[in-house]
Amino acid sequence: MATRIFLRGAITKRTVLFPPFLRSSISSSRNGSTLVVAEHENGTIKSASLSALLAAASLPDKDSSVSLLLAGSGPSLHEAASHAASSHPSISQVLVADSEAFKNPLAEPWAKLVHLVQQRGDYSHIIAASSSFGKNVMPRLAALLDVSPVTDVTGISDSHTFVRPIYAGNALSTVRYTGASPCILTIRSTSFPVSQKSVDSKSDKASISQVDLSTFNEDLDKSRFVSQTSRDDEGPDLGSARVVVTGGRALKSAEKFKLIEDLAKKLGAAVGATRAAVDAGFVANDLQIGQTGKIVAPELYLAFGVSGAIQHLAGMRDSKVIVAVNNDADAPIFQVADYGLVGDLFEVIPELLKKLPEKN
Amino acid sequence: MKIMVAVKRVVDYAVKIRVKPDKTGVVTQNVKMSMNPFCEIALEEALRIREAGLASEVVAVSMGPSQCIDTLRTGLAMGADRGIHVEADDSLYPLYVAKILKKLVEIEKPGLLILGKQAIDDDCNQAGQMVAGLLNWPQGTFASKVVLDKEKQVATVDREVDDGIETISLNLPAVITTDLRLNQPRYATLPNIMKAKKKPIKKFTPEELSVEIKPDLEIVEVTEPPKRKSGVIVSSVDELIDKLKHEANVI
């Protein structure tokens, strides 16, 4: 109840914070300007969205300016906007769409919102992270604008030429977008890693303006958010962890998978899993690494009891150092591993737990 | 209610692909082709809905060269009632797939359109979202569970999202794209493969559907990913820890 009242208060206050005259500022149209559709959580921009921002800033266009679109409702939206405004020197403007319609990440109102913002801003590029949100919303938006999106971009050659992996990362395709503006991209965040240096907060804040939603007329009855079940997150985020410890089918049971979790804890690492481990019910599906799960590229990737199927390699082959422990010396994982150890993981993991240096 | 399912013919998931020496694409000649695994899941779900008495007919659709007929026959052998083949050359981008699907939806008027979440060749993950946008239908992407309420004309969809499972509810008609854990697709039995040969497959061309194919993307080149330098096999945990500490400097 208390939060409800606080929320109302914040909304009333917000009207004071952002006077109406600021609202018209988004109608200015400029060539070579980029819109980043960002996700936020607990009052800050998600790190995958910061990667999308880095990708936007790296577009080789001298006159380019970057606007960031944030939507949602409640005080955390405005905290996030304030965070965004000072988070990167390339941001010239933060657009805020405050409505209950964007409280949950439903594709229908979101695609309509970005469409509306595009009609007013005439951006040359619209970029989001290749997160489940970006993958859900951006192609729908592209269809509304009658353009082909380029998804899961890992490299930018010039303002209209991009590299993206195909066939589970077994080939890299360079594509040129030749259609009308805007060029719509989703960005693989591991290819545009966010370092402390790259998001050094700048002293002068970008302007924050409200998106005028008076003409927003999405038929909001077509889809409804029901619920969301999340894991209790203890360790670091899988997508951005420095170390990832992954277990496969060979862990045998959810109980024994705890060994992987213990090792991850000791290393301050995130826990990953193969499809086999998820399907067998050892861990939740959001830990799956691979072509259809999460894509990771940590400094150190430790794979235990993972055979190394094409579909799994697609999600981790860009890791800096790969360690594989498997009792099958012929397992394909050893072909990509920098360090391999042929042995029983039920002996190796306890030994590692004992001998690894204490994390400070 | 009728359900339409889009199925794509792709290089089999187990094939280790090779990039063409002239960098124009990957070698697809004399390579085993199959139905995209996510499309099998999409078709299986449609069949289960029909078997539960919530749908009257399942129509499988495929686009591409004439060999897509084989993919459609596989779908018919799994249990689809009939097929539609839209003859087109190999490189249809998702935007045009979505435009063709929209036209077919207008002809067939299904209550539900089911696709796989992505094709394992181009890894785009776009067509379902795009056709939903073109039709102005709600979308339930990355579905791991679908529950239909025929009376209320509502589909409740569990979606696999980055940090767990999200449940949404969609008014029908709607577009659903399938994730891996939605179901376990059935195998076609020999008698059903024989029966499938008699099931009708209707043919269209994009022109007949008045869809103009005007690609706004071009492939500059297709290359192999950089090779990793070969690793070493260590003989003990001590050696591994030593290497990680002093050679790789990662712990």
Side-chain angles (χ1 to χ4, degrees):
Chain A
M1 265 304 133
T3 45
R4 198 79 209 158
I5 293 159
F6 175 54
L7 195 142
R8 272 169 218 269
I11 288 171
T12 333
K13 216 163 81 195
R14 183 252 306 157
T15 331
V16 183
L17 278 172
F18 307 104
F21 64 83
L22 270 176
R23 294 184 184 185
S24 58
S25 61
I26 57 157
S27 57
S28 66
S29 123
R30 223 183 318 177
N31 280 334
S33 58
T34 301
L35 180 70
V36 174
V37 182
E39 296 165 78
H40 60 97
E41 191 178 48
N42 305 327
T44 55
I45 306 299
K46 282 195 184 177
S47 92
S49 296
L50 289 173
S51 291
L53 184 61
L54 289 185
S58 75
L59 282 170
D61 189 341
K62 288 236 156 56
D63 312 319
S64 70
S65 69
V66 178
S67 300
L68 197 93
L69 173 65
L70 284 169
S73 71
S76 93
L77 168 67
H78 299 283
E79 259 173 62
S82 166
H83 169 244
S86 55
S87 66
H88 195 274
S90 66
I91 301 182
S92 60
Q93 180 172 226
V94 177
L95 306 175
V96 177
D98 186 340
S99 162
E100 284 287 312
F102 315 122
K103 208 175 120 206
N104 298 305
L106 290 165
E108 296 77 22
W110 272 89
K112 219 32 181 284
L113 168 69
V114 187
H115 188 223
L116 181 83
V117 171
Q118 167 63 15
Q119 283 172 332
R120 292 179 192 162
D122 197 16
Y123 298 94
S124 66
H125 293 73
I126 305 182
I127 302 183
S130 270
S131 57
S132 57
F133 168 82
K135 289 190 280 195
N136 191 32
V137 172
M138 298 299 266
R140 186 176 178 104
L141 165 71
L144 299 181
L145 293 163
D146 194 23
V147 299
S148 285
V150 184
T151 43
D152 219 9
V153 169
T154 56
I156 295 176
S157 307
D158 65 45
S159 63
H160 286 86
T161 312
F162 313 101
V163 182
R164 59 183 302 273
I166 54 174
Y167 289 92
N170 287 299
L172 296 177
S173 175
T174 304
V175 291
R176 182 178 297 128
Y177 180 68
T178 57
S181 274
C183 176
I184 295 185
L185 309 173
T186 70
I187 294 294
R188 181 178 286 194
S189 45
T190 54
S191 301
F192 298 87
V194 178
S195 65
Q196 201 44 52
K197 220 166 79 197
S198 58
V199 286
D200 254 351
S201 51
K202 54 170 185 173
S203 45
D204 54 326
K205 278 193 156 198
S207 68
I208 299 176
S209 36
Q210 297 283 308
V211 177
D212 175 7
L213 296 170
S214 57
T215 57
F216 184 80
N217 59 352
E218 168 67 13
D219 174 10
L220 295 170
D221 284 345
K222 282 189 172 168
S223 63
R224 291 157 300 275
F225 176 85
V226 177
S227 64
Q228 157 107 44
T229 52
S230 299
R231 253 172 343 104
D232 298 329
D233 254 328
E234 281 179 9
D237 174 55
L238 187 51
S240 55
R242 201 185 70 85
V243 182
V244 173
V245 184
T246 290
R249 194 199 310 267
L251 266 299
K252 291 201 173 87
S253 70
E255 208 160 273
K256 287 177 176 159
F257 203 91
K258 295 264 184 307
L259 274 174
I260 296 286
E261 286 156 18
D262 292 345
L263 186 59
K265 203 170 272 171
K266 176 126 194 193
L267 288 163
V271 173
T274 64
R275 181 189 174 185
V278 175
D279 283 353
F282 302 171
V283 286
N285 64 286
D286 53 339
L287 296 187
Q288 184 179 329
I289 289 169
Q291 183 182 18
T292 68
K294 295 241 166 67
I295 313 277
V296 300
E299 282 178 41
L300 176 60
Y301 187 90
L302 299 125
F304 294 91
V306 173
S307 66
I310 295 171
Q311 291 75 18
H312 182 74
L313 300 183
M316 46 65 82
R317 63 192 309 152
D318 292 329
S319 305
K320 290 217 179 60
V321 176
I322 298 174
V323 173
V325 176
N326 202 303
N327 58 11
D328 174 10
D330 295 324
I333 189 81
F334 286 121
Q335 288 162 23
V336 300
D338 299 280
Y339 302 106
L341 178 56
V342 180
D344 183 352
L345 62 91
F346 292 111
E347 288 164 19
V348 173
I349 297 179
E351 198 179 338
L352 275 170
L353 281 170
K354 205 159 53 183
K355 290 180 175 168
L356 274 173
E358 230 20 90
K359 204 189 138 253
N360 38 21
Chain B
M1 182 180 76
K2 196 189 284 182
I3 302 178
M4 189 183 275
V5 181
V7 296
K8 184 175 184 181
R9 175 178 176 267
V10 298
V11 172
D12 189 87
Y13 72 94
V15 170
K16 179 111 182 68
I17 62 117
R18 282 180 302 130
V19 172
K20 285 185 192 163
D22 66 359
K23 297 186 177 177
T24 55
V26 305
V27 179
T28 52
Q29 265 187 330
N30 299 320
V31 168
K32 188 186 176 201
M33 306 291 277
S34 313
M35 189 188 291
N36 179 43
F38 290 98
C39 301
E40 291 185 351
I41 296 170
L43 184 53
E44 175 67 32
E45 193 65 18
L47 297 172
R48 289 186 189 188
I49 293 169
R50 189 193 63 193
E51 283 156 7
L54 298 167
S56 51
E57 193 185 27
V58 174
V59 184
V61 176
S62 193
M63 295 165 210
S66 55
Q67 296 97 314
C68 290
I69 299 271
D70 302 339
T71 312
L72 281 174
R73 290 279 171 221
T74 308
L76 296 175
M78 281 172 71
D81 297 288
R82 57 192 172 87
I84 296 176
H85 175 223
V86 181
E87 178 111 42
D89 78 41
D90 236 337
S91 54
L92 268 190
Y93 291 113
L95 178 61
Y96 300 94
V97 171
K99 286 183 176 185
I100 291 170
L101 277 173
K102 177 180 187 254
K103 291 286 178 175
L104 294 174
V105 162
E106 283 162 4
I107 293 169
E108 294 283 344
K109 301 194 168 43
L112 193 59
L113 175 61
I114 312 183
L115 298 86
K117 82 162 175 181
Q118 77 191 59
I120 58 164
D121 51 1
D122 60 22
D123 282 332
C124 275
N125 196 331
Q126 300 171 358
Q129 295 88 314
M130 295 186 92
V131 68
L134 293 177
L135 289 164
N136 195 23
W137 284 8
Q139 68 190 49
T141 51
F142 325 142
S144 60
K145 190 180 170 196
V146 176
V147 179
L148 284 187
D149 186 328
K150 203 178 175 184
E151 232 149 78
K152 290 190 193 142
Q153 286 289 298
V154 161
T156 304
V157 179
D158 283 5
R159 307 179 55 231
E160 295 204 8
V161 292
D162 286 340
D163 47 4
I165 300 282
E166 177 193 277
T167 307
I168 57 173
S169 118
L170 312 169
N171 289 359
L172 297 180
V175 175
I176 288 171
T177 76
T178 59
D179 216 316
L180 277 175
R181 274 165 282 273
L182 181 57
N183 61 46
Q184 190 67 47
R186 69 194 65 185
Y187 290 103
T189 59
L190 187 59
N192 285 344
I193 293 171
M194 301 311 287
K195 273 186 224 157
K197 292 186 176 165
K198 294 201 191 91
K199 290 182 179 174
I201 294 179
K202 212 169 172 180
K203 254 189 136 124
F204 286 104
T205 62
E207 295 77 49
E208 284 165 358
L209 297 167
S210 16
V211 175
E212 198 191 350
I213 311 289
K214 209 175 52 182
D216 53 3
L217 279 176
E218 59 186 42
I219 292 175
V220 180
E221 62 171 15
V222 174
T223 56
E224 278 188 41
K227 287 238 174 349
R228 292 189 73 95
K229 68 170 174 57
S230 56
V232 292
I233 296 290
V234 297
S235 54
S236 69
V237 169
D238 290 317
E239 193 187 344
L240 177 63
I241 292 177
D242 182 66
K243 294 262 189 199
L244 292 179
K245 244 191 209 162
H246 300 112
E247 198 176 274
N249 301 313
V250 283
I251 54 170

